[in-house]
């Protein structure tokens, strides 16, 4: 990979594995393995900005919010976003600092609580698309719809707990703290930013920002972050080593390298599922198109090999 400022987007499994409960200790163990990989990338001479998802953590927090009612009021979605940024940022900065020292690197590591601007006109506010929190029965879903004004949708396969709350997932437009992030990078720090896609905010007429009830896709926000720092590479780490054509079918074929035009075409043909690989490909192709640099999608354990060009799927300008 050319250039040395790299934005890394960490997927769900970097922090919590699907089969785990998600205790603090479990999450720390995962983050420990994750940051060990990141420290090896830093050893190669890259300057780093790290971002991450928060799906399982925000889901758990939403359950805790509901259980606390009515004694303790449930916090807004934006507040839950801020809480998970702090939690996950802490775990990453804690273990990354340790592994960097083990590599003999004395770079400071810092998490920035990051607000991401969205438009009130985004169509997702009219027809929310992103499922969050637990699964409900039809009766529970009805009750929450009435009592809490949740928008609920049936998810297939449905029985018996086949309903979920859905919330808007608007397009990220800008990073409020971009100057702070760039200042930290300029000072030589490794920055963790825009966790969970960022705290969604709207810009008010007086120039202030207010939190909105939404969540932002972390890969799409990762691209906006990569733009804000003028990254020279974008690495999306998930749980598959390569992206596939005809994923899940017997004739599935791994992709090593694709152009922006090819990526657009395959995306339109439905090769990459909405809500999982779809937004990663979208973010990767936007980055390649905008920056004229490569975006790479691979698994966490292959991160360094992928950077060195030996595996992963590269989306090239
Ligand atoms: P994250 O790591 O950010 O949590 P997701 O779990 O949302 O990512 O998305 C990764 C998943 O996308 C893979 O585990 C795989 O099941 C799915 N996927 C969908 N389409 C494809 C595809 N074409 N190639 C590879 N994986 C795909
Ligand atoms: Mg996942």
């Amino acid at each position: 990979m050319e250039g040395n400022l790299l934005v890394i987007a960490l997927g769900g499994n970097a922090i919590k594995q699907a089969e785990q409960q998600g205790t603090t200790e479990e999450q720390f163990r995962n983050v420990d393995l994750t940051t060990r990989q990141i420290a090896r990338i830093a050893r190669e001479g890259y300057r780093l900005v790290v971002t991450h998802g928060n799906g399982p953590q925000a889901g758990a927090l939403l359950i805790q919010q509901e259980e606390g009612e009515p004694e303790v009021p449930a916090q807004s979605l934006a507040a839950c976003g801020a809480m998970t940024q702090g939690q996950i940022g802490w775990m990453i900065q804690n273990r990354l600092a340790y592994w960097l020292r083990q590599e003999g690197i004395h770079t400071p590591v810092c998490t920035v609580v990051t607000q991401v601007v969205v438009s009130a006109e985004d169509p997702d506010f009219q027809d929310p698309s992103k499922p969050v929190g637990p699964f409900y029965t039809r009766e529970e879903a009805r009750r929450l719809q009435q009592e809490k004004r949740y928008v609920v949708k049936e998810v297939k396969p449905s029985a018996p707990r086949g309903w979920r709350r859905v919330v808007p997932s608007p397009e990220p437009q800008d990073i409020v703290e971009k100057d702070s992030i760039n200042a930290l990078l300029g000072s030589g720090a490794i920055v963790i930013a825009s966790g969970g896609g960022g705290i969604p905010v709207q810009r008010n007429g007086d120039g202030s920002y207010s939190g909105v009830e939404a969540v932002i896709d972390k890969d799409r926000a990762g691209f906006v972050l990569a733009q804000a720092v003028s990254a020279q590479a974008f690495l999306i780490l998930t749980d598959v080593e390569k992206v596939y054509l005809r994923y899940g079918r017997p004739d599935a074929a791994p992709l090593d390298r694709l152009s922006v035009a090819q990526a657009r075409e395959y995306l339109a043909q439905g090769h990459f599922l909405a809500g999982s690989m779809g937004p990663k490909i979208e973010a990767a192709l936007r980055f390649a198109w905008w920056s004229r640099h490569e975006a790479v999608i691979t698994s966490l354990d292959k991160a360094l090999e992928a950077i060195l060009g030996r595996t992963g799927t590269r989306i090239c300008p």
Side-chain angles (χ1 to χ4, degrees), residues 132-281:
V132 293
F135 290 76
Y136 304 111
T137 62
R138 175 199 281 260
E139 291 67 38
E140 286 169 328
R142 267 220 193 109
R143 185 177 54 76
L144 290 165
Q145 201 172 16
Q146 281 165 4
E147 286 176 12
K148 295 187 191 275
R149 302 265 148 242
Y150 282 4
V151 180
V152 291
K153 280 188 184 168
E154 194 175 7
V155 286
K156 308 278 181 208
S158 120
R161 286 164 65 83
W163 295 73
R164 280 184 97 184
R165 176 183 183 190
V166 288
V167 299
S169 182
E171 285 287 336
Q173 295 188 324
D174 199 11
I175 309 248
V176 177
E177 287 75 20
K178 63 184 172 202
D179 292 344
S180 309
I181 294 168
N182 279 312
L184 280 164
L185 277 175
S187 78
I190 291 178
V191 182
I192 301 156
S194 192
I199 303 161
V201 295
Q202 243 168 251
R203 193 179 154 89
N204 305 316
D206 64 359
S208 64
Y209 297 94
S210 307
V212 294
E213 285 297 283
V215 297
I216 302 173
D217 179 81
K218 70 108 182 14
D219 297 307
R220 287 187 187 153
F223 162 60
V224 178
L225 178 64
Q227 274 185 308
V229 301
S230 304
Q232 285 138 335
F234 185 25
L235 180 64
I236 299 179
L237 298 179
T238 180
D239 52 8
V240 286
E241 184 172 340
K242 290 183 184 184
V243 179
Y244 286 78
L245 282 185
R246 300 176 296 275
Y247 181 70
R249 298 198 344 211
D251 58 345
L255 292 161
D256 291 325
R257 193 184 179 87
L258 60 168
S259 67
V260 168
Q262 282 170 324
R264 276 205 191 107
E265 193 180 320
Y266 294 146
L267 187 64
Q269 291 169 355
H271 286 278
F272 317 121
L273 293 186
S276 61
M277 193 51 76
K280 295 182 201 310
I281 295 284

Side-chain angles (χ1 to χ4, degrees), residues 55 65 129 131 164 203 206 245 272 284 286 301 310 315:
Q65 303 305 302
S129 65
R164 280 184 97 184
R203 193 179 154 89
D206 64 359
L245 282 185
F272 317 121
R286 285 179 193 177
D301 56 322
R310 297 182 196 139
I315 293 88

Side-chain angles (χ1 to χ4, degrees), residues 13-58:
N13 65 321
I15 308 156
K16 179 185 168 293
Q17 307 290 329
E19 71 289 354
Q20 292 174 335
Q21 267 203 305
T23 64
T24 304
E25 293 73 22
E26 274 171 342
Q27 296 190 72
F28 250 107
R29 276 200 294 279
N30 297 320
V31 168
D32 185 62
L33 296 172
T34 300
T35 50
R36 201 170 177 163
Q37 300 288 337
I38 298 173
R40 290 170 62 204
I41 296 171
R43 190 181 58 195
E44 294 295 311
Y46 286 94
R47 293 186 299 137
L48 300 176
V49 178
V50 179
T51 190
H52 58 82
N54 72 344
Q57 294 75 23

Side-chain angles (χ1 to χ4, degrees), residues 81-94:
M83 288 191 256
T84 58
Q85 275 191 0
Q87 174 200 357
I88 300 168
W90 166 56
M91 295 192 288
I92 297 175
Q93 75 190 22
N94 179 293

